Amino acid sequence: MLSLHEASSKQSDKSKPNLPPGVFGLRALPYVSKLAKDPIGFFQLMHERFGKTALFGIRQIPFHIISQPEDVRRVLQENSQNYHKGIFYRELGRILGKGLLNSEGEFWKKQRKLIQPSFHRQRISEFVEIMAEETNKTLLNWKGQSNLEISKEMMRLTFAIVGKTLFRTEVESYASRIEASLKVALEITTKRITRLFPMPFSWPTPENRKLRKALKDMHSVVEELIAERKKNPSNDLISMLLEVKDEETGETMSETQVRDEAITLLLAGHETTANALSWAFYLLSQHPDVWEKVRNEAVNVLGDRTPGLEDIQKLAFTRKVVDETLRMYPPAWVIERTAMGDDVVGGYDLPRGTNVSICIFNIHRDPEFWEKPNEFDPDRFDEDRSADRPKYAYIPFGGGPRICIGNIFALTEATLVIALIAKAYKFELVPKHPVVMEPLVTLRPKHGIRFNIVST
Ligand code: HEM
């Protein structure tokens, strides 16, 4: 494996690897503080200084930053088996165990095959009812309220939706217990990920003890629930995971594995969609004409009926609003991988052990692929305007075999929630409320987003 000291932007010796231009060792220190304070700004700076492929190295750990769609395709699709989940996932692994987001190789492949059918269109159509029911409950709660913090509201709503699809109504109390411990675990893990030198987890610091307790509580609630579902199967995702059998071997999932998958789906399935919805309402509040179009479409398509999956396909303009929001504010704003073997990407050597960073945020705002990239323009997703765009220039759900398993679930949910809310209300941003991006594990609004509700 290469050491960082071997890396050079001006390679003359043929025996030395051809690495991209970049910065490492002591020279990287000023960039480290930029990375800690403003991670998106860091990726933009690397792009400006060194181009679309750049090398960055701290503490002997090389990061190869790629932004060209063809290079992204190489890593996520063509040679995906060479790339495992990156260093962030080591921390997240404490919460996710060996769940789908965090597993690798043959084990991941087997799990993906077992879980995939739970996300087929036909299953999603069963979940639409839950999505609509939970959104309507939220709308009722908002009656008479002003100064609403939308990201909290959306977190609550998307958690209720994914919680119900996993656990169904009779076990609502379990969901609220998991929500509390998951929140603590996620907050501490996020802090650990963003610290340059996190305390070893084995040290009995107050924070580590709090994290241990949250993980234990979360595991015991989900395990209780699994035991209950084994006795009384329902039509929820947990029961599906318990029943599902490998076609070839007839093998079922162990209870610990069902637990890890359930926690993974709960986590991956609510925070990302909540952020997407919060940013969508922010953008809509800044573009009242677009809000009006969304509202009119919702009134025409949905009327006062309970919506079904076939209605979602007719909400074509709202769907473009979702797509454009995911372009401008991709909730999973960066993808990380580690190379298991040597590779060549974009003409540069990418040696084994290198970390690969794919900054989705920057790719989605690259003027080479997006006209006026900082402008909100849902119609850019019209077929005739999208035809020439490389597939890997738009990757809100990642790509290749590890593409988000919940992408149709999320797109259906976001389209429906926006339509139902826009039909009932209009929001105005609370004057002077600062709307600032906070790119942590997901891209959140740092101070939340506050709206006054105006009934339509
Ligand atoms: C707008 C909402 C969402 C966004 C932007 C999003 C984004 C992503 C991305 C980018 C990945 C790939 C990560 C990587 O390659 O490192 C991913 C994977 C995943 N997502 Fe989502 N996601 C969303 C919603 C959901 C939902 C609703 C669920 C489940 C109910 C879900 C479950 C998962 C799982 C289990 C994986 C891992 C798949 C695998 O590795 O096989 N996501 N998501």
Side-chain angles (χ1 to χ4, degrees), residues 85 89 100-101 108 112 268-269 272-273 337 396-398 402 404:
K85 291 295 176 99
Y89 282 90
L100 203 56
L101 201 60
W108 164 79
R112 176 95 189 197
T272 40
T273 316
R337 292 286 188 273
F397 295 104
R402 299 211 67 153
C404 176

Side-chain angles (χ1 to χ4, degrees), residues 144-182:
Q145 283 201 42
S146 65
N147 205 332
L148 205 69
E149 207 286 85
I150 201 72
S151 44
K152 247 190 220 142
E153 296 292 324
M154 291 299 105
M155 243 10 137
R156 198 172 302 146
L157 173 60
T158 56
F159 192 87
I161 291 173
V162 77
K164 266 202 184 155
T165 51
L166 278 170
F167 307 134
R168 290 288 151 168
T169 34
E170 326 75 270
V171 285
E172 233 165 356
S173 62
Y174 288 96
S176 62
R177 282 163 61 200
I178 301 165
E179 188 179 12
S181 44
L182 185 58

Side-chain angles (χ1 to χ4, degrees), residues 179-200:
E179 188 179 12
S181 44
L182 185 58
K183 192 164 172 258
V184 172
L186 197 61
E187 268 171 17
I188 298 178
T189 301
T190 305
K191 273 194 212 155
R192 289 179 59 84
I193 288 175
T194 48
R195 267 180 214 143
L196 209 51
F197 301 102
M199 291 276 187

Side-chain angles (χ1 to χ4, degrees), residues 127-420:
F127 302 149
V128 168
E129 202 181 310
I130 295 176
M131 293 170 183
E133 204 179 275
E134 287 302 318
T135 311
N136 286 331
K137 259 199 235 166
T138 302
L139 287 173
L140 277 180
N141 284 342
W142 287 351
K143 271 226 154 85
Q145 283 201 42
S146 65
N147 205 332
L148 205 69
E149 207 286 85
I150 201 72
S151 44
K152 247 190 220 142
E153 296 292 324
M154 291 299 105
M155 243 10 137
R156 198 172 302 146
L157 173 60
T158 56
F159 192 87
I161 291 173
V162 77
K164 266 202 184 155
T165 51
L166 278 170
F167 307 134
R168 290 288 151 168
T169 34
E170 326 75 270
V171 285
E172 233 165 356
S173 62
Y174 288 96
S176 62
R177 282 163 61 200
I178 301 165
E179 188 179 12
S181 44
L182 185 58
K183 192 164 172 258
V184 172
L186 197 61
E187 268 171 17
I188 298 178
T189 301
T190 305
K191 273 194 212 155
R192 289 179 59 84
I193 288 175
T194 48
R195 267 180 214 143
L196 209 51
F197 301 102
M199 291 276 187
F201 186 57
S202 55
W203 292 10
T205 62
E207 190 183 78
N208 284 346
R209 281 208 299 266
K210 205 170 158 193
L211 178 55
R212 269 182 213 289
K213 182 176 179 314
L215 294 172
K216 197 167 153 228
D217 290 349
M218 192 168 68
H219 286 168
S220 70
V221 182
V222 179
E223 279 159 9
E224 256 177 70
L225 193 75
I226 292 170
E228 157 67 26
R229 273 290 163 266
K230 278 196 103 167
K231 271 192 264 155
N232 302 306
S234 163
N235 56 344
D236 57 10
L237 268 170
I238 290 281
S239 303
M240 279 186 241
L241 296 181
L242 284 167
E243 279 161 24
V244 78
K245 279 195 181 114
D246 189 303
E247 272 171 21
E248 284 154 31
T249 62
E251 213 183 316
T252 54
M253 257 184 241
S254 74
E255 282 181 30
T256 310
Q257 192 56 31
V258 173
R259 180 197 75 189
D260 287 353
E261 298 300 0
I263 291 173
T264 296
L265 293 173
L266 262 182
L267 182 65
H270 90 283
E271 164 137 6
T272 40
T273 316
N275 286 324
L277 285 165
S278 306
W279 291 117
F281 286 113
Y282 167 65
L283 288 165
L284 287 173
S285 74
Q286 302 305 293
H287 298 86
D289 51 325
V290 182
W291 191 299
E292 203 49 37
K293 258 180 109 170
V294 168
R295 196 189 92 83
N296 288 339
E297 185 176 71
V299 170
N300 291 335
V301 172
L302 302 179
D304 289 324
R305 281 176 305 107
T306 307
L309 190 60
E310 65 293 346
D311 292 312
I312 312 291
Q313 274 138 21
K314 293 184 200 142
L315 294 167
F317 184 70
T318 313
R319 170 58 197 273
K320 285 193 286 182
V321 168
V322 173
D323 291 342
E324 177 68 341
T325 304
L326 292 172
R327 180 189 71 82
M328 293 190 77
Y329 296 98
W333 64 279
V334 65
I335 286 184
E336 297 282 347
R337 292 286 188 273
T338 302
M340 296 292 111
D342 295 346
D343 196 6
V344 176
V345 176
Y348 292 108
D349 290 324
L350 198 152
R352 180 168 71 89
T354 305
N355 294 288
V356 181
S357 298
I358 301 168
C359 180
I360 300 180
F361 185 94
N362 278 353
I363 296 173
H364 283 186
R365 293 194 188 217
D366 185 338
E368 191 181 333
F369 311 112
W370 306 96
E371 203 186 314
K372 299 191 183 146
N374 296 324
E375 279 181 20
F376 177 58
D377 174 12
D379 290 326
R380 68 169 85 239
F381 283 93
D382 281 344
E383 253 176 54
D384 54 336
R385 288 178 64 191
S386 312
D388 294 336
R389 207 174 288 138
K391 185 172 163 210
Y392 278 77
Y394 184 65
I395 46 167
F397 295 104
R402 299 211 67 153
I403 195 166
C404 176
I405 202 169
N407 59 356
I408 298 176
F409 185 113
L411 289 169
T412 306
E413 180 182 7
T415 307
L416 183 64
V417 170
I418 292 174
L420 287 175

